[in-house]
């Protein structure tokens, strides 16, 4: 352990001139200079995890960032959980027999970070089905569609060029088909499998073997957005380059996260909600508009950052996307609290309703911090 009051100039006062902050676990030097780690506040008995000094503005002053400080047990419990479910795994070989690094996961010395694990499939399926049940229970009984099969067959996903052996294929072939038309404001359940395949823009683009392109799960019919720089960068994660022209139309809706599995801190069980409009357009004050899990405002002009982690991950990590399971947990709250209304076709309203995040309802469109 190291004393670390030098990093907390505004909050380092304690009685009898005692040091207030202790660095319990320092991050590895591979992350670059100015690395920090798990810091414990001996006055408030809370801890936070600024991986580097670049994260300090997310945790200090403490009275303005109290939601980013947790009981130490909370941080450790998150880590233990990731280990128990097989997401973070110790002891896997650091090199292949060829001497090359593994391409199906990221590796930090003893620890491997897997793109997804079986437990994540199980929990995400369960959460989506719990959400569907919440919607169906609020619909007129005679409006429910007579469906009981999984959402997709393997053959239907083959037609849409969804890769084999990936999180999203496992999810879509296991989760039950929702018995309604709209799963969220403006987002359609893909009952029409041919239309589902036709709408895919990124699965047909060549990609590396260790990459999984973004799959459009629930589309907003007839609502398109131009392929701007933000969207190109996002979906180029799984490709050397997205072979589309600038301003080509891209279907909007809920996508699975595109990943390159060997990259540091990726999350194959993640998602991106691609909107047909920009969030916080022309907003210059931080207190205005949509916010992310770390409490910061969504970048002005963003089309893809709603419901995401933000810049600071208080339980570790730097760039991974929010998990699909967490999104549906949040949507359950929106349905059960009546923020989203339900009619005979499912969840009511168009995709523009997500713009409420910019109109005072940012808290309803933000997910509490998690790993």
């Amino acid at each position: 352990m190291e004393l670390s009051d030098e990093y907390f100039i505004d909050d380092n006062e304690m009685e009898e001139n005692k040091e207030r902050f202790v660095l319990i676990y320092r991050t590895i030097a591979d992350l670059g200079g100015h690395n920090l780690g798990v810091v414990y506040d001996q006055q408030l008995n809370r801890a936070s995890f600024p991986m580097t000094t670049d994260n300090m503005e997310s945790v200090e002053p403490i009275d303005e960032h109290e939601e980013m400080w947790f009981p130490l047990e909370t941080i450790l419990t998150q880590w233990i959980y990731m280990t128990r479910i097989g997401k973070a795994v110790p002891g896997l070989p650091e090199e292949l027999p060829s001497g090359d690094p593994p391409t199906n996961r990221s590796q930090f010395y003893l620890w491997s970070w897997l793109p997804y694990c079986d437990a994540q499939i199980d929990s995400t399926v369960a959460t989506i089905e719990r959400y569907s049940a919440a919607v169906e229970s609020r619909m007129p009984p005679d409006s429910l569609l007579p469906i009981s099969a999984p959402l997709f067959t393997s053959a239907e996903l083959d037609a849409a060029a969804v890769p084999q052996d990936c999180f999203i294929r496992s999810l879509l072939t296991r989760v039950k088909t929702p018995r309604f038309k709209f799963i969220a404001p403006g987002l359609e359940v893909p009952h029409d499998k041919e239309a589902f395949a036709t709408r895919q823009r990124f699965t047909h683009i060549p990609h590396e073997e260790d990459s999984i392109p973004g799959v459009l799960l629930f589309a907003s019919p007839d609502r398109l957005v131009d392929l701007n720089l933000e969207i190109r960068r996002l979906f180029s994660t799984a490709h050397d380059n997205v072979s589309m022209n600038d301003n080509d139309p891209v279907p909007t809706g809920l996508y699975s996260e595109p990943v390159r599995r060997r990259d540091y801190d990726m999350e194959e069980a993640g998602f991106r909600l691609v909107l047909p409009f920009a969030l916080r357009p022309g907003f210059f004050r931080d207190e205005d508009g949509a916010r992310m899990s770390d409490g910061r405002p969504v970048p002005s002009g963003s089309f893809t950052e709603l419901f995401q982690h933000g810049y600071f991950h208080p339980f570790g990590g730097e760039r991974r996307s929010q998990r699909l399971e967490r999104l549906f947990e949040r949507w359950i709250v929106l349905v059960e609290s009546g923020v989203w209304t339900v009619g005979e076709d499912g969840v009511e309203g168009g995709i523009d309703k997500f713009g409420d995040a910019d109109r005072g309802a940012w808290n309803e469109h933000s997910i509490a911090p998690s790993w």
Side-chain angles (χ1 to χ4, degrees):
M1 293 193 297
E2 306 173 39
L3 299 176
S4 55
D5 275 21
E6 62 185 283
Y7 300 109
F8 295 86
I9 298 175
D10 297 329
D11 291 296
N12 62 4
E13 295 183 1
M14 281 190 71
E15 296 179 359
E16 301 177 4
N17 295 319
K18 294 181 180 178
E19 295 276 355
R20 176 174 175 178
F21 298 96
V22 178
L23 183 58
I24 301 177
Y25 306 112
R26 181 178 285 277
T27 50
I28 60 175
D30 298 52
L31 294 177
H34 313 293
N35 57 318
L36 274 174
V38 177
V39 177
Y40 188 77
D41 181 349
Q42 299 186 90
Q43 179 171 301
L44 298 179
N45 295 318
R46 291 287 188 271
S48 193
F49 189 9
M51 295 184 69
T52 71
T53 54
D54 292 338
N55 298 138
M56 289 301 296
E57 62 184 23
S58 296
V59 300
E60 190 191 30
I62 293 177
D63 60 357
E64 297 178 10
H65 299 87
E66 292 181 358
E67 69 280 1
M68 294 295 112
W69 291 81
F70 305 86
L72 180 59
E73 296 90 335
T74 300
I75 296 177
L76 297 178
T77 298
Q78 297 262 334
W79 293 359
I80 292 169
Y81 178 76
M82 286 188 282
T83 304
R84 284 180 173 171
I85 67 172
K87 180 68 174 180
V89 181
L92 296 180
E94 295 184 29
E95 294 182 347
L96 301 174
S98 63
D100 296 324
T103 59
N104 65 341
R105 64 182 188 271
S106 59
Q107 186 83 24
F108 265 107
Y109 301 105
L110 171 69
W111 288 95
S112 297
W113 177 263
L114 303 189
Y116 71 96
C117 59
D118 290 343
Q120 286 185 280
I121 300 171
D122 295 339
S123 59
T124 307
V125 167
T127 302
I128 294 175
E129 291 183 352
R130 188 157 55 94
Y131 174 77
S132 293
V135 174
E136 291 168 6
S137 69
R138 289 163 172 78
M139 294 173 59
D142 59 356
S143 66
L144 294 172
L145 300 176
I147 303 171
S148 59
L151 186 53
F152 282 93
T153 66
S154 289
E156 289 165 343
L157 294 180
D158 290 343
V162 175
Q164 303 289 328
D165 300 323
C166 65
F167 172 83
I168 205 62
R169 176 178 281 264
S170 298
L171 177 73
L172 295 177
T173 53
R174 283 185 50 186
V175 70
K176 294 178 182 177
T177 301
R179 300 174 64 190
F180 45 80
K181 183 177 181 181
F182 290 102
I183 198 164
L187 303 187
E188 274 194 353
V189 176
H191 296 298
D192 184 338
K193 309 309 181 187
E194 185 175 340
F196 173 84
T198 301
R199 288 179 179 135
Q200 303 304 323
R201 291 292 186 272
F202 304 103
T203 58
H204 298 281
I205 300 174
H207 55 87
E208 297 182 21
E209 185 176 354
D210 71 328
S211 298
I212 305 297
V215 178
L216 178 57
L217 308 175
F218 305 107
S220 179
D222 305 321
R223 295 298 298 273
L224 305 173
V225 65
D226 290 345
L227 182 69
N228 55 46
L229 182 59
E230 178 191 15
I231 295 173
R232 178 182 288 277
R233 284 176 173 170
L234 169 64
F235 288 100
S236 290
T237 302
H239 312 273
D240 288 334
N241 187 35
V242 172
S243 54
M244 297 170 62
N245 296 321
D246 291 344
N247 301 321
D248 276 356
V250 175
T252 60
L254 184 64
Y255 285 79
S256 63
E257 177 77 355
V259 298
R260 182 176 284 112
R261 287 173 167 173
R262 67 174 180 268
D263 285 354
Y264 163 67
D265 200 34
M266 44 62 215
E267 180 54 75
E268 193 171 319
F271 72 89
R272 293 286 170 167
L273 179 61
V274 177
L275 298 171
F277 53 86
L279 293 167
R280 302 183 67 250
F283 285 19
F284 298 103
R285 298 189 308 168
D286 284 353
E287 59 267 29
D288 292 337
R291 291 180 177 271
M292 299 176 289
S293 296
D294 65 357
R296 290 192 182 188
V298 168
S300 180
S302 174
F303 292 80
T304 69
E305 289 295 324
L306 193 62
F307 294 110
Q308 290 298 323
H309 283 293
Y311 300 101
F312 178 57
H313 296 63
F315 302 108
E318 291 185 279
R319 64 186 71 172
R320 60 179 174 264
S321 66
Q322 188 68 261
R323 288 171 283 133
L324 190 62
E325 175 185 0
R326 296 282 291 158
L327 178 69
F328 276 91
E329 288 175 347
R330 187 68 190 134
W331 285 4
I332 289 172
V333 174
L334 296 180
V335 168
E336 292 184 341
S337 65
V339 173
W340 286 357
T341 58
V342 175
E344 61 182 15
D345 288 327
V347 180
E348 296 179 317
I351 195 172
D352 291 327
K353 186 168 179 58
F354 287 106
D356 288 351
D358 271 347
R359 296 186 285 269
W362 66 265
N363 194 45
E364 296 165 354
H365 296 80
S366 177
I367 297 173
S370 179
W371 62 271

